[in-house]
Amino acid sequence: MIVEELPERVREHVRNARRNGMRVGCVPTMGALHQGHCSLMERARRECDFVVSTIFVNPTQFLPGEDFTRYPRTLEADLRCCADSGADLVFTPQTEHMYAENAQTTVQPGKLAEVLEGVIRPGHFAGVTTIVAKLFAVTEPDVAYFGQKDFQQQLIIRQMVRDLKLPVEIVTCPIVREVDGLAMSSRNRYLSAAERDAAVELSRALAEASRLATESSLSSEEISEQMRNILQSSGQLEVQYAVLADPETLEYPLGRTSGGEAVGLIAVRLGTTRLIDNALIRFS
Ligand code: AMP
């Protein structure tokens, strides 16, 4: 496995691979890798001939006061994880490699970035689209893998790829969970034991929403209310949002839902940690 921090070297490796007829897959990450990230790399390994993982804690997607400085940086373990998952090349740029001092250009997402996470973290998604566009420019992938865990993010990246006519196929991979249902996240390691116990309520609320959508005649708004009740019952979670939204436009509240699809989206604060989770929901 090649580990490379210089964009031009990465591009050379990728172009070599492509000259040899290889299909190139890219898995962008911020490191602190866990099974969720591994699942993306393993999928890329199955579907591509040359797998590039990127590890970069992107400063522009953190708001002032967020956890940029304390975000876990575990490069050695991450590289082992990449090797075990079958990556061929890991791109580990320094900030100056991705953001020149005199850089002026950013990629601004549209409406999809103005709701939910976009309201609570204004500017976050512009940081994401800008860095992902740059990572695509460096790694020139045929296909890139993202997690459903960041549901709004993968929609925004799909929209960016369409709008900018980027020649990259986007694949969204299922959420990998702990045995009790908690979605794996690099931020889970911030949780105290008591917070970790309470964190299970997110997946529980989503499972209940899914059940109610198939087994009850409750409206999407009533189901959202039930999700909020479950989240609040632990007394530890501060609910930022818990909604059922349109899985393509993220619009909510939903109108008619019978026979339709929705995505349940949750964000909470738990002590000093922010957690998000989601699930696709089908109404019977
Ligand atoms: P991050 O390092 O948090 O930026 O995540 C890198 C990629 O891994 C993103 O596409 C995430 O959606 C994805 N990811 C994070 N957690 C999970 C998970 N539990 N299951 C599947 N994919 C995940």
Side-chain angles (χ1 to χ4, degrees):
M1 187 177 77
I2 307 160
V3 181
E4 188 55 77
E5 62 170 34
L6 295 179
E8 49 275 30
R9 293 257 180 80
V10 169
R11 202 176 275 129
E12 270 171 38
H13 286 299
V14 172
R15 287 190 177 174
N16 266 336
R18 180 153 303 100
R19 262 195 295 279
N20 291 324
M22 291 181 165
R23 177 173 163 85
V24 178
C26 178
V27 181
T29 81
M30 297 205 300
L33 302 183
H34 50 66
Q35 283 303 314
H37 299 109
C38 295
S39 74
L40 269 53
M41 291 189 264
E42 287 160 7
R43 172 97 178 255
R45 178 72 284 162
R46 289 197 297 277
E47 298 180 353
C48 302
D49 308 299
F50 193 75
V51 176
V52 184
S53 298
T54 75
I55 299 178
F56 179 59
V57 185
N58 173 38
T60 66
Q61 71 188 72
F62 289 81
L63 273 64
E66 286 190 346
D67 55 346
F68 175 67
T69 46
R70 73 163 179 152
Y71 197 83
R73 287 157 172 89
T74 59
L75 186 60
E76 228 175 277
D78 290 350
L79 293 178
R80 277 198 298 278
C81 169
C82 292
D84 291 346
S85 305
D88 295 297
L89 190 160
V90 187
F91 178 36
T92 58
Q94 301 298 318
T95 301
E96 59 268 29
H97 299 134
M98 299 314 288
Y99 293 101
E101 231 172 73
N102 55 356
Q104 301 185 11
T105 308
T106 57
V107 179
Q108 294 301 319
K111 252 173 56 181
L112 279 171
E114 288 166 10
V115 294
L116 300 163
E117 289 297 285
V119 173
I120 291 159
R121 307 182 71 190
H124 163 71
F125 285 122
V128 170
T129 46
T130 299
I131 194 62
V132 171
K134 289 178 191 226
L135 291 170
F136 285 176
V138 173
T139 63
E140 298 181 338
D142 296 291
V143 46
Y145 296 83
F146 292 88
Q148 186 195 319
K149 166 75 176 21
D150 298 279
F151 191 86
Q152 191 171 1
Q153 169 175 281
Q154 56 87 35
L155 279 185
I156 289 168
I157 287 164
R158 284 173 182 278
Q159 184 74 41
M160 173 182 80
V161 162
R162 277 197 300 276
D163 292 346
L164 302 184
K165 312 248 176 282
L166 303 179
V168 186
E169 179 194 335
I170 303 300
V171 172
T172 304
C173 303
I175 301 176
V176 177
R177 296 177 179 282
E178 304 285 357
V179 278
D180 67 354
L182 175 65
M184 289 193 186
S185 164
S186 306
R187 291 185 166 100
N188 290 350
R189 67 188 75 191
Y190 299 151
L191 300 172
S192 69
E195 289 167 348
R196 173 64 187 80
D197 287 344
V200 74
E201 301 300 343
L202 280 82
S203 57
R204 216 168 66 78
L206 289 165
E208 179 63 3
S210 186
R211 190 188 71 77
L212 291 171
T214 48
E215 292 177 15
S216 81
S217 54
L218 295 185
S219 70
S220 69
E221 276 309 272
E222 288 165 329
I223 295 176
S224 302
E225 192 59 40
Q226 291 297 316
M227 288 205 294
R228 287 189 280 273
N229 288 344
I230 291 173
L231 294 169
Q232 271 147 6
S233 67
S234 78
Q236 291 204 66
L237 303 175
E238 180 202 322
V239 181
Q240 293 187 321
Y241 58 78
V243 298
L244 296 195
D246 182 291
E248 278 166 21
T249 64
L250 295 183
E251 283 163 358
Y252 67 93
L254 293 171
R256 260 190 66 238
T257 43
S258 148
E261 287 200 343
V263 56
L265 294 154
I266 292 177
V268 303
R269 286 192 69 89
L270 187 44
T272 55
T273 307
R274 214 176 154 263
L275 298 179
I276 58 172
D277 198 356
N278 69 82
L280 287 166
I281 286 168
R282 176 170 277 288
F283 282 82
S284 60

XYZ file of all heavy atoms in Angstrom, residues 27-40 54-56 61 71 128 145-151 153-154 157 171-178 182-188 276-277, ligand 1:
396
model
N -12.327 6.669 -1.576
C -13.083 6.691 -0.311
C -12.570 7.853 0.545
O -11.558 7.707 1.238
C -12.926 5.354 0.457
C -13.743 5.391 1.744
C -13.323 4.167 -0.404
N -13.252 9.000 0.496
C -12.805 10.138 1.312
C -13.179 9.952 2.788
O -14.323 9.600 3.098
C -13.571 11.337 0.730
C -14.132 10.865 -0.569
C -14.342 9.382 -0.412
N -12.227 10.205 3.675
C -12.490 10.120 5.122
C -11.720 11.220 5.857
O -10.816 11.820 5.305
C -12.041 8.775 5.742
O -10.624 8.825 5.987
C -12.361 7.583 4.851
N -12.094 11.385 7.127
C -11.318 12.277 7.999
C -10.484 11.475 8.989
O -10.029 12.015 10.009
C -12.254 13.233 8.745
C -13.004 14.164 7.789
S -13.513 15.690 8.540
C -14.558 15.092 9.859
N -10.300 10.191 8.728
C -9.498 9.373 9.648
C -10.297 8.955 10.867
O -11.529 9.004 10.870
N -9.572 8.536 11.942
C -10.219 7.925 13.113
C -11.137 6.809 12.615
O -12.323 6.746 12.960
C -10.969 8.961 13.940
N -10.560 5.962 11.805
C -11.350 4.994 11.040
C -11.949 3.893 11.921
O -11.357 3.482 12.911
C -10.477 4.375 9.946
C -9.864 5.376 8.958
C -9.073 4.651 7.869
C -10.919 6.276 8.332
N -13.147 3.462 11.533
C -13.853 2.376 12.217
C -14.468 1.468 11.167
O -14.268 1.691 9.949
C -14.901 2.945 13.181
C -15.796 3.974 12.550
N -16.687 3.674 11.538
C -15.915 5.318 12.749
C -17.335 4.762 11.170
N -16.877 5.776 11.880
N -15.262 0.501 11.608
C -15.844 -0.479 10.678
C -16.682 0.164 9.575
O -16.784 -0.385 8.481
C -16.726 -1.475 11.453
C -15.942 -2.535 12.214
C -15.037 -3.329 11.271
O -15.446 -3.765 10.202
N -13.782 -3.482 11.653
N -17.302 1.302 9.873
C -18.095 2.004 8.852
C -17.209 2.402 7.679
O -17.541 2.155 6.513
N -16.068 3.016 7.993
C -15.126 3.395 6.938
C -14.615 2.150 6.207
O -14.492 2.148 4.980
C -13.921 4.136 7.530
C -14.245 5.410 8.246
N -14.165 5.539 9.611
C -14.641 6.622 7.780
C -14.485 6.775 9.955
N -14.788 7.450 8.870
N -14.310 1.100 6.985
C -13.788 -0.144 6.374
C -14.783 -0.680 5.354
O -14.397 -1.145 4.282
C -13.569 -1.231 7.418
S -12.301 -0.806 8.579
N -16.081 -0.596 5.700
C -17.090 -1.165 4.793
C -17.065 -0.434 3.445
O -17.285 -1.032 2.396
C -18.485 -1.115 5.422
O -18.987 0.204 5.418
N -16.788 0.867 3.473
C -16.694 1.635 2.225
C -15.487 1.162 1.404
O -15.574 0.961 0.193
C -16.545 3.134 2.534
C -17.803 3.995 2.653
C -18.811 3.443 3.624
C -17.440 5.432 3.024
N -8.673 8.525 1.230
C -8.063 9.786 1.620
C -8.343 10.026 3.100
O -9.428 9.698 3.607
C -8.583 10.976 0.779
O -9.901 11.323 1.205
C -8.619 10.626 -0.715
N -7.341 10.538 3.789
C -7.465 10.851 5.221
C -7.071 12.308 5.397
O -5.907 12.677 5.218
C -6.550 9.947 6.079
C -6.943 8.484 5.903
C -6.617 10.378 7.544
C -6.056 7.512 6.694
N -8.058 13.141 5.708
C -7.768 14.574 5.845
C -8.836 15.187 6.742
O -10.028 15.128 6.420
C -7.776 15.246 4.462
C -7.504 16.730 4.510
C -6.316 17.222 5.061
C -8.426 17.634 4.009
C -6.064 18.590 5.105
C -8.184 19.010 4.050
C -7.002 19.480 4.592
N -14.722 22.511 7.070
C -16.074 22.010 7.340
C -16.409 22.030 8.821
O -17.479 21.585 9.225
C -16.274 20.622 6.734
C -15.528 19.495 7.397
C -15.646 18.219 6.592
O -15.065 18.090 5.530
N -16.412 17.249 7.092
N -10.535 16.753 17.274
C -10.970 15.624 16.449
C -9.889 14.540 16.497
O -8.706 14.824 16.335
C -11.206 16.082 14.994
C -12.046 15.082 14.218
C -13.423 15.085 14.309
C -11.438 14.110 13.430
C -14.195 14.149 13.631
C -12.196 13.169 12.743
C -13.572 13.200 12.856
O -14.335 12.266 12.188
N -17.484 20.961 2.904
C -17.502 19.577 2.406
C -17.419 19.554 0.875
O -16.590 18.845 0.297
C -18.772 18.828 2.884
C -18.906 17.485 2.180
C -18.750 18.642 4.399
N -17.107 6.515 -2.892
C -17.973 5.828 -1.932
C -18.216 6.719 -0.718
O -17.269 7.230 -0.112
C -17.326 4.500 -1.505
C -17.211 3.553 -2.674
C -16.141 3.648 -3.572
C -18.188 2.603 -2.926
C -16.052 2.802 -4.669
C -18.108 1.758 -4.021
C -17.038 1.861 -4.888
O -16.961 1.032 -5.983
N -19.491 6.879 -0.371
C -19.877 7.675 0.792
C -20.848 6.866 1.638
O -21.500 5.932 1.143
C -20.532 8.992 0.346
C -19.550 9.918 -0.324
C -19.318 9.830 -1.687
C -18.828 10.847 0.407
C -18.384 10.662 -2.309
C -17.895 11.681 -0.199
C -17.674 11.585 -1.565
N -20.957 7.233 2.926
C -21.836 6.499 3.827
C -23.218 7.139 3.902
O -23.338 8.369 3.914
N -24.225 6.306 3.996
C -25.580 6.806 4.255
C -25.647 7.491 5.621
O -26.531 8.299 5.887
C -26.588 5.654 4.201
C -28.039 6.123 4.321
C -29.001 5.005 4.625
O -28.881 3.915 4.061
N -29.954 5.261 5.519
N -24.678 7.163 6.484
C -24.616 7.775 7.817
C -24.759 9.302 7.719
O -25.421 9.930 8.538
C -23.287 7.387 8.476
C -22.891 8.179 9.693
C -23.705 7.764 10.870
C -23.329 8.414 12.181
N -22.597 9.635 12.167
N -24.089 9.898 6.730
C -24.193 11.335 6.496
C -25.148 11.538 5.321
O -24.733 11.846 4.204
C -22.809 11.921 6.230
C -21.901 11.736 7.434
O -22.003 12.534 8.368
O -21.127 10.759 7.458
N -26.422 11.341 5.589
C -27.416 11.257 4.514
C -27.470 12.544 3.690
O -27.452 12.526 2.460
C -28.800 10.950 5.106
C -29.799 10.587 4.055
C -29.916 9.274 3.618
C -30.602 11.553 3.464
C -30.818 8.929 2.615
C -31.505 11.217 2.464
C -31.603 9.902 2.035
N -25.227 14.831 3.432
C -23.941 15.009 2.731
C -23.916 14.261 1.396
O -23.509 14.811 0.370
C -22.802 14.530 3.633
C -21.459 14.415 2.943
C -20.349 14.052 3.903
O -19.863 14.907 4.622
N -19.939 12.798 3.935
N -24.367 12.986 1.407
C -24.286 12.239 0.154
C -25.248 12.806 -0.891
O -24.945 12.825 -2.078
C -24.445 10.721 0.358
C -25.701 10.249 1.059
C -26.867 10.048 0.114
O -26.683 9.643 -1.025
N -28.075 10.311 0.575
N -23.474 15.886 -2.303
C -22.368 15.502 -3.197
C -22.912 14.985 -4.531
O -22.386 15.321 -5.596
C -21.445 14.499 -2.501
C -20.643 15.252 -1.436
C -20.506 13.815 -3.500
C -19.982 14.409 -0.425
N -21.501 6.256 -5.026
C -22.141 5.087 -4.419
C -22.353 5.383 -2.935
O -21.436 5.840 -2.250
C -21.255 3.822 -4.581
C -21.824 2.656 -3.779
C -21.112 3.459 -6.048
N -23.569 5.146 -2.472
C -23.875 5.352 -1.050
C -23.968 3.990 -0.367
O -24.710 3.115 -0.826
C -25.202 6.120 -0.898
O -25.091 7.345 -1.621
C -25.498 6.425 0.561
N -23.224 3.827 0.715
C -23.135 2.525 1.401
C -23.937 2.544 2.705
O -24.014 3.587 3.361
C -21.683 2.215 1.730
S -20.622 2.224 0.277
N -24.492 1.390 3.094
C -25.337 1.318 4.301
C -24.590 1.706 5.578
O -23.362 1.598 5.646
C -25.747 -0.153 4.376
C -25.302 -0.790 3.116
C -24.342 0.108 2.424
N -25.358 2.110 6.574
C -24.783 2.503 7.867
C -24.328 1.256 8.625
O -25.111 0.309 8.788
C -25.835 3.252 8.717
C -26.333 4.495 7.972
C -25.263 3.619 10.085
C -27.460 5.243 8.698
N -23.093 1.255 9.091
C -22.604 0.162 9.936
C -22.850 0.563 11.390
O -22.537 1.686 11.801
C -21.113 -0.116 9.685
C -20.601 -1.200 10.617
C -20.895 -0.508 8.224
N -23.430 -0.384 12.158
C -23.857 -0.080 13.523
C -23.162 -0.980 14.546
O -22.738 -2.087 14.221
C -25.380 -0.267 13.643
C -26.151 0.695 12.768
C -27.667 0.479 12.832
N -28.341 1.455 11.998
C -28.548 2.725 12.346
N -28.194 3.128 13.564
N -29.121 3.566 11.517
N -23.072 -0.492 15.776
C -22.660 -1.339 16.903
C -23.771 -2.356 17.155
O -24.895 -2.188 16.667
C -22.442 -0.493 18.168
C -21.448 0.648 18.003
C -19.996 0.196 17.973
O -19.730 -1.025 18.137
O -19.128 1.061 17.760
N -26.274 1.560 17.809
C -25.650 2.884 17.655
C -24.833 2.930 16.360
O -23.990 2.064 16.110
C -24.731 3.178 18.859
C -23.930 4.493 18.753
C -24.847 5.710 18.759
C -22.901 4.589 19.874
N -25.100 3.927 15.522
C -24.341 4.079 14.276
C -22.882 4.377 14.617
O -22.597 5.239 15.460
C -24.924 5.209 13.451
N -21.971 3.644 13.988
C -20.553 3.900 14.268
C -20.193 5.304 13.813
O -20.655 5.781 12.780
C -19.684 2.881 13.550
C -19.803 1.524 14.167
S -18.512 0.430 13.565
C -19.057 -1.084 14.333
N -19.368 5.967 14.622
C -18.925 7.325 14.315
C -17.607 7.582 15.020
O -17.394 7.104 16.142
C -19.971 8.329 14.807
O -19.404 9.627 14.865
N -16.756 8.342 14.374
C -15.485 8.711 15.014
C -15.745 9.483 16.295
O -14.914 9.505 17.199
C -14.648 9.571 14.066
O -14.490 8.916 12.828
N -16.908 10.136 16.375
C -17.206 10.964 17.547
C -17.746 10.143 18.722
O -17.855 10.673 19.827
C -18.190 12.075 17.181
C -17.556 13.126 16.263
C -18.470 14.297 15.997
N -17.761 15.422 15.403
C -17.769 15.729 14.086
N -18.450 15.000 13.246
N -17.091 16.775 13.645
N -18.087 8.863 18.505
C -18.605 8.056 19.617
C -17.570 7.937 20.738
O -17.929 7.756 21.894
C -19.002 6.655 19.141
C -20.233 6.683 18.260
O -20.901 7.706 18.150
N -20.525 5.556 17.614
N -25.522 12.214 14.907
C -26.596 12.168 13.915
C -26.841 10.721 13.520
O -25.951 9.863 13.646
C -26.272 13.007 12.641
C -24.979 12.525 11.975
C -26.189 14.483 12.967
C -24.702 13.176 10.621
N -28.059 10.466 13.053
C -28.398 9.123 12.571
C -29.586 9.274 11.623
O -30.268 10.309 11.618
C -28.750 8.198 13.747
C -28.671 6.712 13.355
O -28.423 6.408 12.169
O -28.885 5.861 14.252
P -15.881 10.827 8.097
O -14.514 10.296 8.339
O -16.723 10.929 9.311
O -15.870 12.081 7.252
O -16.611 9.729 7.203
C -16.054 9.311 5.984
C -17.089 8.518 5.245
O -17.448 7.373 6.005
C -18.377 9.299 4.981
O -18.847 9.015 3.686
C -19.298 8.760 6.037
O -20.673 8.843 5.686
C -18.852 7.312 6.112
N -19.258 6.718 7.394
C -19.058 7.238 8.635
N -19.625 6.447 9.570
C -20.206 5.415 8.902
C -20.967 4.273 9.305
N -21.254 4.039 10.590
N -21.392 3.421 8.344
C -21.120 3.663 7.036
N -20.415 4.721 6.593
C -19.964 5.590 7.509
